[in-house]
Amino acid sequence: MTGTAAIEAAALGKRFGRRGGWALRDCAFRLPAGRVCAVVGPNGAGKSTLLALAAGLLAPSEGEITVLGGRPGAARERVSYVAQDKPLYPQLTVAETLRMGADLNTDRWDASVAERVVADGDLNPKSNIRALSGGQRTRVALALALAKRPELLLLDEPMADLDPLARHQMMGLLMAQAAESGTTIVMSSHVLAELEDSCDHLLLVDGGQVRIAGEIDELLAAHRRVSAPADTVLDAHTVVESRTTGRQLTALIRPLAPLAADWQTGTPTLEELVLSYLRNPQAPTTKTPETVA
Amino acid sequence: MTALAPSPALTSRPARSPHLLRWLIRLHRPALLAWIAFVLVVGGLLLWVGGPLTDASAEAWKQYNACGADGCSYDVKAIGRYKDWYNYTTIAVIAAPFLVTAWSGAALVSRELESGTAQLAWTQAVSPARWLAAKLAVPAVLIAVGSGLLAGLHHWAWSTGQGRIDTVKGWHDLGTYAANGTATAAMALAGLVSGVFWGLYKREPYSALFGSLMSTGLLWSLVAIATPHLWPSVSKVSSLTHSVPAGSGIVVDQGLVTSTGKHLSGHLCGSTTYGHCKTVYAKLDAVGYYNDYHPQSHYWPLQLTSTAIILAVTAALTVASFSLLKRRTGSAPARKAAAV
């Protein structure tokens, strides 16, 4: 293990209600600090539950989660969290909302950051939160999150209700934050394309479990897309997905031995990789070494 | 890694603690203003009832009692006005715990949990337990002061009429008893906490409103039913020549005493001067009335015992609220994690 982990989970599980189903089960992963991490997975995979556990909003039903080296609640002032529906007090104005941030935080709070984020969006500080559009609300929520100068920023579907231009601006804002302060950013989305260009780390959550964890470059390099004759045996490798069409076999594998010279091989795109895992729930879990908890 | 380390300026002095009071006041300003207005209006009315209205009514009763058999004029309106406004203000004072319950159930906690703004607060530098403590403590102080003031003013307004107004309510009148004492202020605190408890439990305003109003109503009824039994009563035996048993106050039990000393509950008929009642009593072998009741000297023992019971329930609900929150959010320090 190198450096501090931003988030570390071991055998983590969360069940809602005593007889409810498991939203997350048996999750183990480690997210090194300083990364920009995409949490992807289908709707209902457990992404929001994972982020809420990390934010200290939910108690795990089993297992453990450590955030910035301590229990999630202990790191409260160094962690920012923006929930999926961007809850804000509708009766307050933008300026009052920022004053709430100043009141509820310690002296890590940087009012100038909040004001800058809000001003960049042409928001009138006197407008009521109630009157804002979805994108404007997201901006205010991010202003609250960034002015805390967090070490860890947890964003649940941050871009969902933004138009492409606003999305671009917001992503720029976040990347600047990551670059300036070394903030670890964890963003969830069910649209991979939203995050692909900005993130260097990936957590694929599916069916309540972490299926892939690692640096995106390493993950891509560890997998090959192969085309080979239909009778090829792939037993020497870890097969994520294989399909035979006519006399042609196409597969996504994690090579464990040198590949035959007559196969056509290529590096998969991130989308191909993620989709292959999602289509094949039986495929083994993949974690790069530094992400093993 | 260096970029992650907080700058020295951030760590060298102790962290400023959050300004929860300022935030709470901004958040609940309408409720705060409404409560202040309620206390001022009802308090003002009570001053009016206890002052000018009582004086006018007492004067009217003086005129009335000075009247001869041939009739005279007295200020009927003054008597009616005192009676009406005394009743309205009594109802207002008793309603305060229910108003508090409704607000607490529908707005204080449940709405925030439903909309996610509670979670917004918890992801600032405020732990859920601290958030709840602030949400309970600040309103509790305002409610205790406000409803305590109203109960005190009501007690004063009631007492100024004693012995001056012929139809003045006795200390044991149900509404007067409730509005005059500390139990109503305690009930308002119980209402606050039950609203919070149901809010945390249901996380939705309508069911929290319903649940908390039901539980405040239930607690109020139980305490009202139990009140006569909260202190040992006094027993008085009196002659059957009176139309009712002697001794006025909160009655626990009354009836007839037989020649063997046995108590027969009920069977009250009236004075033995009526032939019918005389026969009834003779058949039952009754020799007198008995009356187990609380005289006025029991007023404070009864009030304070019921206040203590209500406060104990309030404390239990507070503990339950905190443990419910703790179970949900895991805000308790985990020993394992602390050791890391």
Side-chain angles (χ1 to χ4, degrees):
Chain A
M1 278 198 237
T2 50
T4 330
I7 306 179
E8 205 164 349
L12 183 66
K14 176 68 192 173
R15 174 159 69 165
F16 291 101
R18 241 172 234 137
R19 266 181 262 159
W22 289 88
L24 273 185
R25 187 102 208 239
D26 214 11
C27 276
F29 69 92
R30 179 172 183 278
L31 173 66
R35 304 295 196 278
V36 179
C37 174
V39 178
V40 297
N43 290 326
K47 305 187 293 292
S48 295
T49 306
L50 181 61
L51 290 179
L53 284 165
L57 295 176
L58 294 174
S61 306
E62 58 178 35
E64 257 188 272
I65 181 163
T66 312
V67 173
L68 301 173
R71 67 188 173 86
R76 220 171 279 284
E77 54 204 68
R78 295 182 289 145
V79 177
S80 285
Y81 167 80
V82 177
Q84 195 166 352
D85 41 5
K86 322 291 180 300
L88 294 168
Y89 293 104
Q91 72 269 39
L92 301 186
T93 64
V94 172
E96 284 174 327
T97 303
L98 298 185
R99 230 174 297 144
M100 173 203 86
D103 282 348
L104 294 193
N105 285 287
T106 55
D107 45 13
R108 293 178 68 88
W109 180 260
D110 188 339
S112 64
V113 171
E115 277 154 24
R116 203 177 62 226
V117 173
V118 165
D120 284 351
D122 278 335
L123 276 173
N124 180 0
K126 288 188 187 128
S127 320
N128 256 319
I129 296 292
R130 195 177 273 125
L132 300 185
S133 70
Q136 290 171 318
R137 284 174 68 103
T138 303
R139 189 173 273 280
V140 176
L142 276 177
L144 276 180
L146 290 174
K148 276 181 84 173
R149 289 184 290 177
E151 289 171 36
L152 172 63
L153 182 52
L154 303 165
L155 306 169
D156 196 357
E157 304 266 4
M159 307 296 165
D161 44 11
L162 297 186
D163 60 61
L165 180 64
R167 196 172 290 192
H168 187 80
Q169 285 178 340
M170 218 66 82
M171 211 44 123
L173 196 68
L174 292 174
M175 291 312 115
Q177 170 77 14
E180 277 167 34
S181 321
T183 308
T184 309
I185 301 181
V186 181
M187 284 185 270
S188 77
S189 176
H190 59 275
V191 185
L192 181 64
E194 266 180 22
L195 308 174
E196 197 171 2
D197 300 332
S198 336
C199 298
D200 50 24
H201 199 96
L202 178 78
L203 271 186
L204 173 64
V205 183
D206 182 27
Q209 298 201 307
V210 174
R211 301 273 312 276
I212 312 181
E215 297 295 295
I216 292 175
D217 290 344
E218 284 177 39
L219 286 170
L220 292 180
H223 289 83
R224 303 299 281 173
R225 200 180 40 195
V226 244
S227 299
D231 54 357
T232 309
V233 178
L234 293 169
D235 286 356
H237 314 285
T238 305
V239 180
V240 177
E241 178 178 55
S242 80
R243 257 183 305 184
T244 315
T245 20
R247 279 178 287 169
Q248 185 79 3
L249 172 119
T250 48
L252 187 90
I253 61 168
R254 240 159 66 203
L256 301 173
L259 300 180
D262 58 331
W263 296 355
Q264 284 189 325
T265 67
T267 309
T269 65
L270 186 58
E271 185 158 24
E272 281 173 336
L273 181 78
V274 166
L275 287 176
S276 298
Y277 273 88
L278 289 180
R279 277 193 297 257
N280 297 277
Q282 80 293 344
T285 300
T286 298
K287 287 170 189 169
T288 57
E290 64 168 357
T291 64
V292 177
Chain B
M1 281 316 294
T2 45
L4 268 179
S7 64
L10 291 176
T11 46
S12 58
R13 55 200 158 121
R16 184 174 64 87
S17 62
H19 293 286
L20 288 167
L21 183 65
R22 206 156 66 188
W23 161 71
L24 273 174
I25 290 173
R26 196 179 307 130
L27 204 55
H28 296 293
R29 204 169 3 192
L32 174 68
L33 295 177
W35 177 244
I36 292 174
F38 177 80
V39 172
L40 288 181
V41 168
V42 178
L45 286 174
L46 282 166
L47 288 174
W48 185 52
V49 169
L53 288 195
T54 300
D55 292 345
S57 180
E59 187 53 38
W61 278 107
K62 213 188 265 172
Q63 291 165 0
Y64 173 83
N65 289 327
C67 283
D70 47 342
C72 62
S73 74
Y74 61 97
D75 193 351
V76 187
K77 274 189 182 159
I79 291 174
R81 206 180 303 129
Y82 167 83
K83 216 172 160 181
D84 288 346
W85 283 99
Y86 179 82
N87 285 336
Y88 299 152
T89 48
T90 302
I91 291 167
V93 173
I94 299 172
F98 292 92
L99 293 176
V100 168
T101 307
W103 169 73
S104 171
L108 185 57
V109 162
S110 59
R111 201 172 56 190
E112 287 216 27
L113 286 166
E114 192 192 38
S115 68
T117 47
Q119 287 84 343
L120 176 71
W122 304 343
T123 47
Q124 309 307 311
V126 178
S127 72
R130 197 155 174 203
W131 168 86
L132 184 59
K135 283 233 163 194
L136 277 171
V138 177
V141 169
L142 292 166
I143 288 163
V145 169
S147 52
L149 187 70
L150 290 185
L153 281 172
H154 191 278
H155 198 285
W156 169 79
W158 164 80
S159 65
T160 57
Q162 293 302 303
R164 298 167 64 203
I165 297 171
D166 289 21
T167 51
V168 75
K169 299 271 190 196
W171 69 275
H172 50 84
D173 168 70
L174 186 64
T176 299
Y177 173 84
N180 262 359
T182 47
T184 300
M187 206 63 220
L189 290 178
L192 168 74
V193 180
S194 85
V196 164
F197 174 80
W198 281 92
L200 288 168
Y201 179 56
K202 287 289 178 187
R203 286 175 286 182
E204 189 270 306
Y206 291 104
S207 11
L209 173 67
F210 181 75
S212 52
L213 279 177
M214 290 304 271
S215 54
T216 303
L218 181 72
L219 180 62
W220 200 88
S221 318
L222 288 178
V223 170
I225 292 167
T227 295
H229 310 284
L230 295 179
W231 202 256
S233 59
V234 167
S235 196
K236 199 169 196 174
V237 176
S238 52
S239 156
L240 288 174
T241 52
H242 303 292
S243 52
V244 287
S248 90
I250 296 177
V251 173
V252 180
D253 187 23
Q254 46 184 214
L256 304 175
V257 190
T258 64
S259 59
T260 56
K262 217 172 105 185
H263 282 192
L264 295 173
S265 185
H267 298 103
L268 299 182
C269 173
S271 166
T272 44
T273 48
Y274 298 110
H276 165 67
C277 290
K278 200 170 182 178
T279 338
V280 171
Y281 292 150
K283 227 181 251 173
L284 291 166
D285 184 27
V287 295
Y289 294 119
Y290 76 89
N291 189 7
D292 293 338
Y293 73 108
H294 293 285
Q296 191 167 359
S297 62
H298 287 191
Y299 174 73
W300 281 112
L302 288 173
Q303 270 287 348
L304 293 177
T305 313
S306 48
T307 304
I309 290 171
I310 296 166
L311 288 180
V313 172
T314 306
L317 275 174
T318 308
V319 171
S321 301
F322 274 97
S323 61
L324 196 62
L325 182 71
K326 198 163 88 179
R327 216 175 54 203
R328 288 256 166 76
T329 59
S331 52
R335 260 172 252 108
K336 254 188 202 169
V340 170

